[in-house]
Amino acid sequence: MTTNNPMTVITSKHFGALNVDVYQNDKHQYYMTREQIGTALEYNNPNDAIRIIHSRNADRLDPLSTSFKLNGVEGGVTKVRNIITYNLRGVMEICRLSRQPKADAFMDFCWDIMESLMRGDSVL
């Protein structure tokens, strides 16, 4: 896993009620957060569920993930959080390894977004 790659939100799309942000790094690669993937797959503890999938498949998912620091305001205080993201292949792997009912639908959703971004159709 690489760390501290600068990321920018390039597009946001709805998957049901969830707004999914897609990030782009300085190499024009696209990523989604661990939290969003787990939420879309409807895990009770989204971040933990994807962390467990990742730890069980670290040899496969380590090269497909990266982390970056994100500033956010919580309770009026600015906090820095380390955010784990996965590239398209990583998201597909997580969906493949997940046994959640929404895994196939989320995989299709992600594929459509990524194809659109690669064509230049869906940029914010």
Side-chain angles (χ1 to χ4, degrees), residues 18-113:
L18 176 66
N19 188 45
V20 177
D21 293 329
V22 179
Y23 294 83
Q24 180 179 13
N25 68 7
D26 56 355
K27 295 177 184 172
H28 303 287
Q29 296 168 324
Y30 306 114
Y31 293 83
M32 291 183 182
T33 68
R34 176 182 279 180
E35 181 76 25
Q36 289 185 127
I37 297 164
T39 301
L41 295 176
E42 296 184 342
Y43 283 106
N44 290 331
N45 296 304
N47 200 42
D48 289 343
I50 304 304
R51 182 185 49 76
I52 290 167
I53 290 172
H54 186 131
S55 67
R56 289 180 182 158
N57 301 278
D59 58 328
R60 181 75 175 136
L61 292 172
D62 277 354
L64 306 176
S65 64
T66 189
S67 67
F68 70 99
K69 304 253 186 244
L70 182 67
N71 294 328
V73 177
E74 297 175 17
V77 178
T78 300
K79 296 190 178 187
V80 178
R81 298 278 184 224
N82 194 37
I83 305 297
I84 307 296
T85 60
Y86 295 89
N87 64 16
L88 172 61
R89 187 177 301 255
V91 176
M92 298 300 162
E93 279 296 306
I94 290 167
C95 289
R96 185 177 68 81
L97 295 164
S98 173
R99 295 187 177 138
Q100 292 294 95
K102 293 239 174 154
D104 287 341
F106 189 62
M107 187 183 309
D108 293 343
F109 168 82
C110 293
W111 187 257
D112 290 344
I113 286 177

